Every structure is written in structure tokens, then in C-alpha cells.
Amino acid sequence: MDIAIPNLRHLRVFLAVAELKSITRASENIFLSQPAITQAIAKLEGLLGASLFERHSDGMYPTASGEVWQKRVSRAIDYIQTATQEIVKDNTQKERIPKNLVALISTTQLRALVAVSEAQNFSIASRNLAVSQSAVHRAARDLERLLGVILFEKNSLGTRATKAAQTLSKATKLAFSELRQGIYEINALQFKDVSTITVGSMPLARMTILPKSILQFNERHPDVNINVTEGPYSDLLHHLRQGDIDIILGALRHPSPADDVIQEELWAPPLSVVARKDHPLMAKGVISAQDLAEFAWVVPATGTPTRQAFERIFNEADVSQPTRLVESSSQILIRELLIESDRLTLISAHQVEREINIELLTVLHFPLEHTRRPIGLCVRKNWLPTVTQSHFLSLLREISERFR
């Protein structure tokens, strides 16, 4: 479901009324007429499909939906406020920059900023936003004038986002994520929870706790969408930190991959050497690292935890690394290469449990208890999950207990 991001100025109006408990006081505080404030609140309530205030003789008080919205809007505005302060702090002409900078920035400008930063091209950004290219140019240039910095520079590949653009784009995406979560929470209060949880998943989790968690979760939340994103860990981490992904599920990194994320271990399965049924090494009573080195392998990319464990097998035995390698993390490709050849792979037996049960693949008896690797969750440090997201996290923890 595509969520419309509200007008940033309407959000500031809402916060003023929520904090001051009065349209009159808000009007004096933000220098906007009372009819304009009333209209802004009405538009927000229409967009959200919920009343945000209860009108009493002594003032206006947020409803349950209003309290949820106030919390999320405050967090969203904080992201943008912090980013703009960081951008302008080193500006030599910052005295010319308006003090109420965030009040002058529009949602349209921020959407254009994010679109161009991601596409690195004004034409592609305009198509993605379904607006004219001139409108995107105008929004971006207006934002540059407000901030007093250059946001985009032309280069041989197209358009490059400057550091300032990257900073504000990331903050904007996190802010928009907060607003989407607020909308999800308000919908849930009205018993129409049609939210989306986005999970970045690595291979082992996709074959074990994730499918079981999704099935059990959907029994209670049939209308909630689970969006599972796959890809290299570095890509998933980038999207997590930008607010595109809520949770990464997979092998944990040590040390922590960034200072703005936290990791939580769920369980730590050992790795196994896996081969096709009737592999030549099945006939050996004791398998050595030298025996393993004589065969071709399918391995994950350099730098991944499993690849590091693979390299340690041979380094610790003072045996030369196998050279006939195919690098892939594709479960389907690994399975087919193993079944159709004498290649070996290093993988958790949980990932190929079905193939082992139907006797397509087998685990070779080579001691690897020391290769236990922590599998778990990675989330943004300041992420505030909705009740629905918290329930999904609880299920992941509960189901992972069965694999310990």
C-alpha cells in the first residue's frame, strides 16, 4: 500500500496545537491564522481517517490517535531538524539562513531531494515521482537556496548528491518512515491494520525461522503485509539505516557494522560440510582438511562469516586453500552444483534440511563445532517498533528457541 506523506507544514501546525492545547495560542506561536490552522488539522484528519483532537471548554486534547501521531511526528521533525542543523553549521553565510528553517521546507522539496539522491538523475527522479522534470528541478533548487548549500553536482555519470544532500536525504527517509509507522498505528487502533513489515533476510533465516514466523504471524494479523528483501549484506544494511528496511535477519557481524544499529543474537548453529549423496568422501572413515582441499567448492563471497570459516579450515590445518571455487549465495545454484558434481560447500545443515531428508544431499563427518556463528536481528538503534512489529519480533525470538 502506497502511503501518502502529509504536508510538512500541516505537521508543524498539528504539533503546535497538541503542545499548546489551543488553536488560538498556536496561531500566535506560529504566526498562522486560526482558519488556516483549523483547515490544516481537518486535512490531516481526513488523510488519516481519524480524529486527532477532542474539543473541551478548557482546550484541545489529543485523542488516542492524536497521541500516537504526536509521538511519531515529533520524531520525524527531529530527524529533519537535526540534519538541517548539521548541514548549515559550517556555512560561512549561516546568518542569512532563516532561524525557522524547517518551517519553510516542504514535503514536495524533500520528496524531490530523496528521488534525485537515489536516482542520481533528474529525469529518472521525475518519472519515479510522476511529475515534470522542471518541477523536480525547481523543488531541488528552492531547497538549495533555503539551506544555502549545493545539493547536487553534475559529473560524467549524471548527477551526484553532495554530502549535504546525502545527510538530509537519509534524515528525510527516516522521518517518512516514522510517519508511515504512525499511520499504521492509527489504522490498527481502528481495527484496520494493513501495515507492512519489511525484512531484509539472509539465506539461513529464509530457510528456517522466517517462513515459520510469517505463517504463525499471519494467523493473527492476516491483513499485514510482510515484504522480504534479499541481497548482499552491505545493501541490506544500507537500506536498514535509511529506513527502507525495518529488520535484518541473518548472520550477525562482529564488531557491530555501524554505530547506529544494534544486534540481537537468536541462535548460533554450527556450519557443516555438505555434499551430494554417495560423494567419494563418504567412503572415508576420517576426513582431513587435506581431503577437503582436493575437491572443488561452492563458497559465498569474500568477507562473509561463512567464507571466513571456510578459509580457517585450511589455514589452521596448514593446508593450501582449494582453488576451483564457484562463488555464490544462491541456494538453488548451490544445490544443483552439489547434486550434479563432487563439489562441496560449507553451510548450515538447517538450510538444506529438506534436501538432506530426501537424500539428495548429505553432511560429511568433519568436526566443525567451533564454527558456530550467531544468527539474529539487526535493527536501527533508535527504531521504535509499532505494536504489530513488536509482535513479529516476539515470534522471531520464540521460534528461534526451537532451533537452539
Side-chain angles (χ1 to χ4, degrees), residues 224-262:
V224 174
N225 299 306
I226 308 290
N227 182 350
V228 180
T229 300
E230 304 172 9
Y233 181 83
S234 58
D235 288 355
L236 296 181
L237 180 64
H238 171 77
H239 288 298
L240 176 79
R241 298 176 68 204
Q242 297 270 328
D244 302 318
I245 289 176
D246 299 315
I247 306 159
I248 294 178
L249 191 59
L252 303 184
R253 267 53 180 177
H254 294 290
S256 181
D259 59 7
D260 56 353
V261 301
I262 53 174

Side-chain angles (χ1 to χ4, degrees), residues 178-366:
E178 287 290 339
L179 298 175
R180 280 191 292 270
Q181 289 193 247
I183 293 170
Y184 293 154
E185 288 176 306
I186 290 171
N187 286 339
L189 286 175
Q190 300 174 73
F191 305 102
K192 51 180 184 181
D193 190 353
V194 289
S195 57
T196 297
I197 301 174
T198 304
V199 182
S201 181
M202 304 303 288
L204 176 56
R206 287 200 298 272
M207 302 300 294
T208 52
I209 66 171
L210 186 57
K212 291 177 172 61
S213 298
I214 289 173
L215 290 171
Q216 194 168 324
F217 177 80
N218 279 147
E219 289 176 7
R220 181 170 170 182
H221 302 277
D223 297 320
V224 174
N225 299 306
I226 308 290
N227 182 350
V228 180
T229 300
E230 304 172 9
Y233 181 83
S234 58
D235 288 355
L236 296 181
L237 180 64
H238 171 77
H239 288 298
L240 176 79
R241 298 176 68 204
Q242 297 270 328
D244 302 318
I245 289 176
D246 299 315
I247 306 159
I248 294 178
L249 191 59
L252 303 184
R253 267 53 180 177
H254 294 290
S256 181
D259 59 7
D260 56 353
V261 301
I262 53 174
Q263 301 185 119
E264 175 188 341
E265 182 177 327
L266 296 178
W267 95 105
L271 294 167
S272 301
V273 177
V274 174
R276 66 173 175 83
K277 185 191 176 189
D278 300 326
H279 189 280
L281 285 178
M282 290 293 291
K284 288 186 71 74
V286 178
I287 299 173
S288 68
Q290 183 61 56
D291 295 327
L292 298 178
E294 292 173 5
F295 288 87
W297 284 72
V298 190
V299 294
T302 300
T304 59
T306 301
R307 181 63 174 271
Q308 291 167 350
F310 164 78
E311 292 167 354
R312 278 199 303 273
I313 291 173
F314 304 99
N315 292 339
E316 291 174 0
D318 199 22
V319 171
S320 297
Q321 300 273 337
T323 56
R324 292 168 293 158
L325 304 180
V326 170
E327 283 193 8
S328 177
S329 60
S330 166
Q331 193 86 18
I332 295 172
L333 179 61
I334 292 170
R335 182 188 66 193
E336 294 305 312
L337 288 173
L338 295 188
I339 291 172
E340 299 295 333
S341 73
D342 288 339
R343 284 184 181 271
L344 306 172
T345 196
L346 191 64
I347 198 171
S348 168
H350 289 294
Q351 282 178 257
V352 287
E353 185 176 14
R354 186 159 297 179
E355 287 84 354
I356 291 171
N357 289 340
I358 62 177
E359 298 186 339
L360 284 175
L361 299 176
T362 190
V363 173
L364 298 182
H365 297 293
F366 183 80

